[in-house]
Amino acid sequence: MERLRYVARAGAVDPVVLVQEAAQALADFHHEPGNLILSVRRLLHRHPSSGPLWALCATVLTAGDGRRAAYDFVQRVEDDPTSTVLAANLPDDARITVLGWPDLIGDGLRRRGDVEVLVIDARGEGSPFARRLQQADVDADDVEESGLGAACAYSDVILLEATAVGAGGFFAVPGSLAAASVGRATGVPVWLVAGDGRVLPDGVFQSMRQHQPEVDPWGAADELVSLDLVDVVVRPSGAGDVASALASRDCPAAPELLEIRQ
C-alpha cells in the first residue's frame, strides 16, 4: 500500500520507471480484485496521460496470473527496441526537428552520428536535451518555441514521440500539433515514435481521453493530435503506416478500464 501511495503521488516520472514501480504495486493485489481495481483507479487518476501505465493496468486486469503479467509487461518495456528501429530507418545526413525531451527519440538519435537535430524548447526541456545530445557528439541546436515553424519547415523529418496512441489520435508534448501541421503544410514528413505499451485499443484510448483533467486545451500537459498528420509510425516491429501501427495494439481491451471516469 505504501508503494502504491508513492507511485500515485509521484509527479513527472520516466515512463519506464513509472511502469516498473506501478507493476510492483499492482502485483501485490493480483489475488484481490476489489483492491486491484481501486489501485488502478488511483494510479490512472494521478497519471492519466501515460499510455504504458494504461496498457499495464489493462494487461494485469485481464490476466489469469496478474503478478506474472505485470512483470512480463515491465520486461517488454525495458527491452523495447523502438529506439534501435528509429536509428536504423532515419535517412542519412538528415536535419531533424524534435520537441522537448523525448526519451525514445533521444536514444535513437544518440546511435546516429550523421544527423543534425533542431530541438524545440517545449516545456523548457529542450535546452537540457540539446546539451545531452551534444555530449553524445550529436550535432544539436536549441531552438526557442517561437522558431518552431521555421525549424519544422526547413527540416527533412519531424520526429514526435507519443505518450499514447489510439484510433482518435495521439497524445504528445504541447507543440506537437503545430509541428505536425507545419509538416503537412510544407511537405516535410512527420514520423511518430510509439514505443511498446503506447498503442491502445479503441475503448481504452477513449476512456483515457475522457479521464484527462478538465483544463483549457492550451493548458494541457499533453495535447491530442490527429493521426491524419502522421506519415510514418515507428514501432518496436519496424517503421510503417498508421493503419499498421493501430493494428499492433499493446494490451487487451480491459472492460474495467472502460468504466473509469474522473
Side-chain angles (χ1 to χ4, degrees), residues 73-92:
F73 185 87
V74 169
Q75 192 66 54
R76 276 175 46 195
V77 173
E78 290 176 344
D79 296 339
D80 186 359
T82 303
S83 296
T84 302
V85 173
L86 173 63
N89 282 275
L90 285 172
D92 295 338

Side-chain angles (χ1 to χ4, degrees), residues 22 26 36 39-41 43-44 51-63 73 251-252 254 256-257 260:
L26 295 178
L36 178 60
S39 301
V40 164
R41 290 176 181 272
L43 289 172
L44 295 179
L53 182 59
W54 280 83
L56 168 67
C57 292
T59 299
V60 172
L61 287 170
T62 56
F73 185 87
C251 67
E256 297 88 344
L257 295 187
I260 289 182

Side-chain angles (χ1 to χ4, degrees), residues 9-214:
R9 292 171 180 169
V13 183
D14 176 89
V16 176
V17 175
L18 178 60
V19 165
Q20 290 170 336
E21 294 294 329
Q24 290 279 356
L26 295 178
D28 293 337
F29 298 109
H30 71 290
H31 286 317
E32 303 175 43
N35 284 331
L36 178 60
I37 294 174
L38 178 60
S39 301
V40 164
R41 290 176 181 272
R42 287 178 176 174
L43 289 172
L44 295 179
H45 176 72
R46 297 304 293 260
H47 303 280
S49 299
S50 174
L53 182 59
W54 280 83
L56 168 67
C57 292
T59 299
V60 172
L61 287 170
T62 56
D65 184 347
R67 179 184 293 272
R68 172 51 54 191
Y71 294 150
D72 287 348
F73 185 87
V74 169
Q75 192 66 54
R76 276 175 46 195
V77 173
E78 290 176 344
D79 296 339
D80 186 359
T82 303
S83 296
T84 302
V85 173
L86 173 63
N89 282 275
L90 285 172
D92 295 338
D93 301 313
R95 177 184 291 139
I96 298 166
T97 291
V98 302
L99 281 70
W101 189 313
D103 294 308
L104 293 173
I105 290 174
D107 290 342
L109 294 175
R110 285 192 288 270
R111 299 171 186 268
R112 296 290 299 257
D114 62 330
V115 296
E116 176 189 356
V117 185
L118 304 178
V119 184
I120 308 302
D121 195 26
R123 290 181 181 157
E125 297 175 338
S127 295
F129 181 69
R131 290 195 295 271
R132 178 64 63 87
L133 291 178
Q134 292 163 1
Q135 291 168 0
D137 294 325
V138 177
D139 183 3
D141 291 313
D142 178 19
V143 179
E144 294 184 4
E145 289 183 286
S146 59
L148 182 151
C152 291
Y154 286 93
S155 291
D156 299 305
V157 176
I158 299 168
L159 284 182
L160 303 176
E161 184 163 312
T163 58
V165 184
F170 67 94
F171 284 99
V173 63
S176 296
L177 175 58
S181 299
V182 172
R184 179 51 51 90
T186 59
V188 177
V190 176
W191 289 26
L192 180 65
V193 179
D196 203 344
R198 307 195 190 200
V199 177
L200 306 177
D202 295 350
V204 175
F205 186 76
Q206 293 307 318
S207 185
M208 178 183 178
R209 288 184 61 179
Q210 295 167 0
H211 200 61
Q212 299 306 299
E214 294 184 1

Side-chain angles (χ1 to χ4, degrees), residues 187-246:
V188 177
V190 176
W191 289 26
L192 180 65
V193 179
D196 203 344
R198 307 195 190 200
V199 177
L200 306 177
D202 295 350
V204 175
F205 186 76
Q206 293 307 318
S207 185
M208 178 183 178
R209 288 184 61 179
Q210 295 167 0
H211 200 61
Q212 299 306 299
E214 294 184 1
V215 298
D216 292 327
W218 48 88
D222 292 280
E223 64 183 6
L224 184 65
V225 184
S226 172
L227 287 167
D228 292 338
L229 300 175
V230 174
D231 298 290
V232 175
V233 182
V234 181
R235 295 282 286 139
S237 57
D241 57 23
V242 170
S244 298
L246 289 177

